[in-house]
């Protein structure tokens, strides 16, 4: 969006105002906790206001419809794409999408959503980035998550061209990274678990 590419975000978990606040904060070094407590300095408020204004000028659309079916989402995206207002889609997150056919297991529903999102990406020839929950095993283990930790469906692994998993050692009480010897404070490790056209690692 900062580069001028029209981006549409479908956030089924957060409100658009909350996400907008995060987008503005991501461009500053302001502590979000101090913002929530109303303890910002005047110059920090000026910086945040400028960042909000800059974010408002970006070609970014946030849809925070709380209950959205996969078919409705695909229809909305295609309509936006036809108008030239969508060249990238972000969905947060997969397990919150609904399906219209009753009487199926949750795994079958997630598999349908995954397949339709893959078909959507191909039909509009644009990236579709989809967040997904991991299962409880990933939370309980100290190891880096892998493909088997994707929640509720193996179809996610099958359909995706690229699967990236985020691991934060600090959350598992690992204070020093064994590979680099560096502190893990605020460290996030991004692991490419699947790459249809490239390397993993």
């Amino acid at each position: 969006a900062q580069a001028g590419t029209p981006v549409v975000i479908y956030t089924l978990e957060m409100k658009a105002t909350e996400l907008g606040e995060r987008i503005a904060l991501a461009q500053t070094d302001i502590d979000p906790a101090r913002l929530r407590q109303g303890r910002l300095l005047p110059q920090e408020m000026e910086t945040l206001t400028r960042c909000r204004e800059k974010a408002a000028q970006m070609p970014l659309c946030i849809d925070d419809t709380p209950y959205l079916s996969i078919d409705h989402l695909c229809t909305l995206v295609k309509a936006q794409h036809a108008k030239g207002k969508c060249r990238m889609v972000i969905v947060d997150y997969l397990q919150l999408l609904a399906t219209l056919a009753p009487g199926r297991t949750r795994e079958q529903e997630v598999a349908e959503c995954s397949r339709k999102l893959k078909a959507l990406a191909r039909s509009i020839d644009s990236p579709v980035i989809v967040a997904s929950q991991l299962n409880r095993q990933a939370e309980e283990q100290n190891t880096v998550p892998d493909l088997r930790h994707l929640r509720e469906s193996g179809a996610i692994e099958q359909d995706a061209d690229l699967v990236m998993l985020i691991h934060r050692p600090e959350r598992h009480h690992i204070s020093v990274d064994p590979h680099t010897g560096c502190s893990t404070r605020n460290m996030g490790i991004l692991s490419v678990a699947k790459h249809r056209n490239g390397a993993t690692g």
Side-chain angles (χ1 to χ4, degrees):
Q2 286 179 331
T5 301
V7 178
V8 181
I9 301 176
Y10 292 91
T11 170
L12 289 87
E13 189 173 38
M14 297 173 64
K15 292 193 293 185
T17 50
E18 294 173 323
L19 192 55
E21 195 74 62
R22 289 190 179 195
I23 290 168
L25 281 169
Q27 301 174 66
T28 74
D29 57 359
I30 294 171
D31 181 4
R34 289 181 52 239
L35 171 64
R36 285 192 294 271
Q37 294 163 3
R39 296 192 297 112
L40 295 186
L41 300 172
Q43 59 265 33
E44 290 177 322
M45 282 299 299
E46 288 179 22
T47 300
L48 186 59
T49 300
R50 283 197 302 271
C51 288
R52 282 176 174 154
E53 291 169 354
K54 184 179 176 183
Q57 300 303 314
M58 292 192 294
L60 176 65
C61 175
I62 301 174
D63 187 325
D64 62 357
T65 305
Y67 184 84
L68 194 61
S69 73
I70 181 62
D71 295 309
H72 189 196
L73 183 144
C74 290
T75 301
L76 292 172
V77 169
K78 288 175 182 176
Q80 292 277 64
H81 186 266
K83 297 175 186 175
K85 296 181 178 180
C86 176
R87 292 291 177 266
M88 181 181 200
V89 181
I90 299 172
V91 180
D92 182 23
Y93 57 90
L94 177 62
Q95 283 80 8
L96 289 178
L97 282 171
T99 57
L100 300 178
R104 293 181 301 170
T105 66
R106 187 63 190 138
E107 184 174 343
Q108 290 170 327
E109 290 179 342
V110 171
E112 179 188 345
C113 293
S114 177
R115 280 193 301 272
K116 288 186 174 179
L117 287 168
K118 174 63 177 282
L120 175 67
R122 293 187 65 177
S123 68
I124 65 173
D125 193 25
S126 298
V128 176
I129 299 173
V130 185
S132 173
Q133 282 192 324
L134 300 180
N135 60 33
R136 291 293 178 194
Q137 289 175 310
E139 289 287 323
E140 295 164 359
Q141 296 174 355
N142 288 340
T143 56
V144 176
D146 57 37
L147 291 170
R148 64 193 160 91
H149 292 127
L150 289 171
R151 187 171 177 180
E152 290 177 323
S153 180
I156 303 169
E157 174 188 349
Q158 180 179 325
D159 295 331
D161 290 331
L162 187 68
V163 177
M164 295 183 289
L165 301 166
I166 299 170
H167 176 60
R168 293 184 56 201
E170 187 180 13
R171 291 193 63 189
H172 297 283
H173 310 292
I174 300 171
S175 56
V176 178
D177 180 37
H179 301 292
T180 63
C182 298
S183 168
T184 60
R185 182 172 172 77
N186 296 326
M187 176 190 286
I189 299 171
L190 188 67
S191 171
V192 179
K194 178 186 176 182
H195 196 337
R196 199 180 295 277
N197 302 307
T200 58

